[in-house]
Amino acid sequence: MSDLSAYSLPPGPARCVLCVGAAVLDTLFRVRAMPSGQGKVLPYDMLQIAEGMASSAAFSVARLGGVASLWSAVGDDDIGERIIADLSESGIDTTGMVRAKGARSAVSTILVDDEGERLIVPFYDQRLHETVRPVTAADMDDIDAVLVDVRWPALALKTLLAARAAGKPAILDGDVSPDGIIEMLAPAASHIVFSQPAAERLAESLDLVEVVVLLKKKFPQAFISVTAGEKGSYWYDDADHVVRHLPAPVVKAVDTLAAGDIFHGAFALGVVEGMPIEETMRLSSMAAALKCQVFGGRIGAPDRATVLKALSHWHAEVTVVACR
């Protein structure tokens, strides 16, 4: 691929994506291999960083040249202050974040092995999301698109509906969640990018092509895509009524944590910049792949110049894998 003009920043002000959902203080431990039973595990590296699905996606938006705003909730504790400070210092607008009185901030412990796979033990205090702010048309005035995850469904739904009413992209990160959450959020979305586990669970099928078709029938108003890690990404082409597949870039994975979130942030920015869908999928896939080569969760999110350089050497073909 030599012509990268489709991936260039559009003229005018940088596009703004509002991300809604999780903000967590993660403690990452790097280990040689995942534990197989009880005992002591001795890591050889560690890092503490504020991230989470929406937070990491917002960081991806900022790294790729967009403006990222985050609505999330932390507790009224020292950890909450640290989360907000960390995300603010990373270039994310955190003025819309909530400090929930009496709640503990979300934390997680994560093991990352030498194959790049991870084991996550998260803790979310239910009191974080007891109060849901109103979402008005005025909130959408300076926003070009919204991207919500499944961790704060009440606020996510209000935000999706407000974006749709304002005629702006309303994007759902369709990850694994309690029963009924995706079914509640998806009808309000204009674009849904599912993780493979969530998509298979919802469609009750392990055939990814069939999964895409079934999900498109279930949510016909939305663009439907499924990300499947090293198997690449699949999406329903609404113009030609076919399922398309893009292989994943081949990389040596060091840490897959936040790769999906980086994909979602890049996807949202591509959509709001008016990038054609194939180029949006390529941008998102490469951003996620490059992140996987860096230990540290979201800090591996690449900037735009790095992604474009990698894209110039990537020649994967998009193929049609099914017709309706």
Side-chain angles (χ1 to χ4, degrees):
M1 180 181 297
S2 56
D3 183 9
L4 298 178
S5 60
Y7 303 97
S8 300
L9 283 167
R15 306 303 193 260
C16 180
V17 178
L18 168 62
C19 300
V20 178
V24 186
L25 182 65
D26 285 345
T27 302
L28 284 63
F29 293 106
R30 200 170 183 186
V31 298
R32 295 299 179 193
M34 286 296 171
S36 57
Q38 62 180 347
K40 183 178 292 186
V41 179
L42 298 178
Y44 64 91
D45 199 0
M46 72 86 65
L47 174 70
Q48 283 191 314
I49 185 171
E51 48 189 2
M53 297 166 68
S55 301
S56 297
F59 183 62
S60 178
V61 169
R63 288 285 285 164
L64 292 171
V67 175
S69 183
L70 178 66
W71 287 355
S72 186
V74 297
D76 57 347
D77 50 22
D78 291 342
I79 292 175
E81 293 299 322
R82 178 172 178 178
I83 290 172
I84 292 175
D86 191 351
L87 295 174
S88 297
E89 290 168 6
S90 297
I92 300 168
D93 177 5
T94 60
T95 56
M97 293 186 67
V98 173
R99 293 169 176 82
K101 292 184 178 180
R104 290 176 288 176
S105 295
V107 296
S108 68
T109 298
I110 303 169
L111 302 184
V112 180
D113 70 14
D114 282 349
E115 298 302 315
E117 295 305 317
R118 74 273 193 194
L119 174 65
I120 305 174
V121 183
F123 171 76
Y124 289 91
D125 188 335
Q126 296 300 313
R127 292 172 294 179
L128 283 172
H129 299 152
E130 285 181 345
T131 301
V132 181
R133 57 166 290 170
V135 182
T136 68
D139 289 318
M140 298 295 112
D141 286 347
D142 298 323
I143 299 299
D144 297 303
V146 303
L147 168 64
V148 308
D149 68 29
V150 295
R151 294 294 178 255
W152 196 350
L155 182 58
L157 180 59
K158 287 187 175 184
T159 308
L160 289 173
L161 292 171
R164 292 297 296 276
K168 298 178 180 181
I171 305 163
L172 171 62
D173 175 351
D175 204 356
V176 175
S177 58
D179 290 345
I181 298 300
I182 289 180
E183 291 89 340
M184 177 183 75
L185 298 176
S190 62
H191 300 71
I192 311 172
V193 181
F194 289 96
S195 68
Q196 180 181 355
E200 291 175 344
R201 175 179 170 182
L202 193 59
E204 298 182 334
S205 172
L206 299 179
D207 181 326
L208 286 172
V209 176
E210 180 183 40
V211 165
V212 173
V213 173
L214 290 172
L215 291 176
K216 180 61 184 180
K217 291 179 179 178
K218 193 174 184 69
F219 308 114
Q221 86 290 344
F223 168 84
I224 299 294
S225 176
V226 176
T227 60
E230 62 184 15
K231 298 175 185 176
S233 54
Y234 298 78
W235 69 93
Y236 190 87
D237 185 325
D238 292 295
D240 296 330
H241 302 290
V242 298
V243 177
R244 299 191 185 275
H245 172 247
L246 174 66
V250 178
V251 298
K252 169 58 179 173
V254 172
D255 174 13
T256 59
L257 181 67
D261 309 326
I262 301 308
F263 185 106
H264 284 89
F267 177 86
L269 189 60
V271 167
V272 79
E273 288 182 353
M275 197 177 293
I277 193 60
E278 180 176 323
E279 282 68 26
T280 298
M281 298 301 286
R282 288 183 182 274
L283 178 80
S284 306
S285 297
M286 184 57 72
L290 292 172
K291 181 262 113 24
C292 290
Q293 297 182 97
V294 180
F295 171 71
R298 70 167 170 89
I299 64 171
D303 62 20
R304 202 170 190 118
T306 301
V307 176
L308 265 59
K309 181 179 180 181
L311 284 170
S312 70
H313 301 291
W314 187 38
H315 306 290
E317 294 292 332
V318 172
T319 57
V320 174
V321 290
C323 299
R324 187 170 182 176

